[in-house]
Amino acid sequence: MSNDKKVPVWDNNFSFLMAMIGAAIGLGNIWRYPYVAYSNGGGTFLIPYLCAIFILGLPFLFLEYSVGFKFKTSLSEILKKIKPKFEVIGWFVALISFLILCYYVCIIGWDLIYIILSFFKGWGSNPSAFLTSSLLHSQNGFLGLNYIVWPVVITLVFIWFLIWIISRTDLNSGIGRVTKLLIPLLVIMMAIIVIYSLTLPGSNIGYSNLLKPQWNMLLSPSVWLAAFGQILFSLSLGMAVITSYTSYLPEGSDLIKNGFIVVASNCSFEVFTAFGIFSIIGFMSFSQGIPFNQIITQGVGLIFVVFPTVLNIMGNYAYIIGPLFFLCIFFAGITTTISFLEPLSLAINRKFNISRKNSSALLCLIGFGISLIFATGSGSYLLEICDSFLNQFGILFGIICQCIIFGWYYKIDDLLNVLNNNSKLNIGKFWKNIIKYVIPIILFIVWITGLYNLFASGNINYIIIQLILALIIIIVPIILTILPEH
């Protein structure tokens, strides 16, 4: 066996925890959670949110921990060992992570541009027009494909090069060292932003809207589905990232303790960040006399339109808070992007005996080529469609398959023993029932609902793009499964 197939090992548990927290803390924590919480019951959203953590988040996280720790290889190789026909599912999951990475880097590229602009408020007096027209030259449909957005292309070159530099090196010298540096810095910078935001006039308008309970919404199924969806995406579940990172843990690691630390860190960060985001929006509502519900949004609009608009009225402190905020986005994005590359890189390394250095280089070149599609005038349009489809269809389908395979085809008691062996806090049969019954049923409902919403619009362009993506995530895993092992 080649030396390339030797399993690398984290040099200490702190490296693993920082890598795992870095994989979990991403754009979804900063731009998704505040809006989801506000629009799904405010303060009462914490009830379904906490339930989702204990019903979905921790149980599936423990499943991925036990699988990675026991087999110490890629998900595709693990599933092949269980049953050869299951290998294709492993490639499917790893490919989903990689495709998400290909457009995720574009958002980080936009943020990199805004880091520079934040030093002189280069987005001007109309941040919305600047983003869509001046910077991205956004067009709905395919007509924008013939227009290259060169500033975004330049950032993509830098970001993919950075991902390659980090991922090609030894596990601890690359991912371990970077996450141990960036995650503490990210927490410190976000703490500065949140503390400052709470001192702004009108901040109470923001956090009171965030905390205001709407008890009647607890009976709405959509609120509970939103909570499960947030935990799913926030923790990067079902993307083989956790399985890959856990496969590098040394013997004797306390999996259950590590799981609780990662989930608590991730969820605390996004709730804490929400206070800062909402306080800043409350300041804008107070200063401009605009009703709060007319300002609050999520995603690209929150980061690149609402926040720059607030910075325009903030005064000189904006030249400190602005760069800090966009730097937080960048740090969170980089630690997440390197985790998205890992599952497919590890799978290629294990099956085809291609070194970590070469597999990272190959995937970064391919990924750069794909991401150029999102650096066109149609980029933001295509990005939104791809993000919805891959998250609502791909990830959910992969998780359901993993629950069925490990819950029904594999001896789940063996995984339970793996979790409990080195842990002072043991879990029991309740966990097995959640994996076998509860998660598949809940996520199947979410999956059907999301899939219906994706195709319900009837927009022919949407349907064409979704069908192309469906073919890619079906055909490519089949090809990678059929190719002979080296």
Side-chain angles (χ1 to χ4, degrees), residues 122 222 281 302 358 364:
S222 63
I281 296 175
L302 175 63
N358 290 334
C364 285

Side-chain angles (χ1 to χ4, degrees), residues 23-24 64 231-242 336 339-340:
E64 293 196 276
I231 290 298
L232 178 75
F233 304 132
S234 176
L235 290 172
S236 298
L237 299 176
M239 300 173 70
V241 170
I242 298 170
T336 302
S339 72
F340 286 169

Side-chain angles (χ1 to χ4, degrees), residues 321-374:
I321 298 300
L324 276 180
F325 178 76
F326 290 113
L327 202 56
C328 281
I329 299 289
F330 184 72
F331 284 0
I334 287 298
T335 57
T336 302
T337 55
I338 57 178
S339 72
F340 286 169
L341 186 71
E342 194 66 18
L344 193 54
S345 177
L346 177 61
I348 290 173
N349 167 257
R350 300 300 293 177
K351 179 166 184 176
F352 303 113
N353 200 20
I354 298 175
S355 68
R356 182 182 185 87
K357 177 180 177 181
N358 290 334
S359 63
S360 297
L362 174 65
L363 290 177
C364 285
L365 284 173
I366 294 172
F368 173 71
I370 295 173
S371 63
L372 287 176
I373 299 172
F374 302 100

Side-chain angles (χ1 to χ4, degrees), residues 158-283:
F158 173 77
I159 294 168
W160 277 110
F161 178 76
L162 191 60
I163 295 171
W164 172 66
I165 288 294
I166 296 170
S167 299
R168 70 186 289 270
T169 55
D170 171 76
L171 179 69
N172 293 292
S173 301
I175 296 174
R177 181 177 295 175
V178 168
T179 53
K180 282 192 291 186
L181 172 66
L182 296 189
I183 295 303
L185 282 176
L186 169 62
V187 172
I188 292 170
M189 291 191 300
M190 186 56 72
I192 293 172
I193 293 171
V194 173
I195 292 170
Y196 172 75
S197 70
L198 293 172
T199 68
L200 293 171
S203 62
N204 62 305
I205 297 174
Y207 61 72
S208 62
N209 270 282
L210 176 65
L211 296 175
K212 183 180 178 181
Q214 300 178 50
W215 296 105
N216 61 307
M217 295 192 72
L218 278 178
L219 300 176
S220 171
S222 63
V223 171
W224 289 82
L225 293 179
F228 281 97
Q230 177 60 29
I231 290 298
L232 178 75
F233 304 132
S234 176
L235 290 172
S236 298
L237 299 176
M239 300 173 70
V241 170
I242 298 170
T243 306
S244 301
Y245 277 179
T246 311
S247 70
Y248 307 139
L249 274 174
E251 296 299 328
S253 299
D254 189 333
L255 301 181
I256 295 178
K257 178 183 176 181
N258 281 335
F260 274 110
I261 292 173
V262 169
V263 171
S265 300
N266 173 77
C267 296
S268 298
F269 179 85
E270 66 182 9
V271 173
F272 179 69
T273 300
F275 275 87
I277 298 294
F278 267 63
S279 295
I280 289 171
I281 296 175
F283 163 69

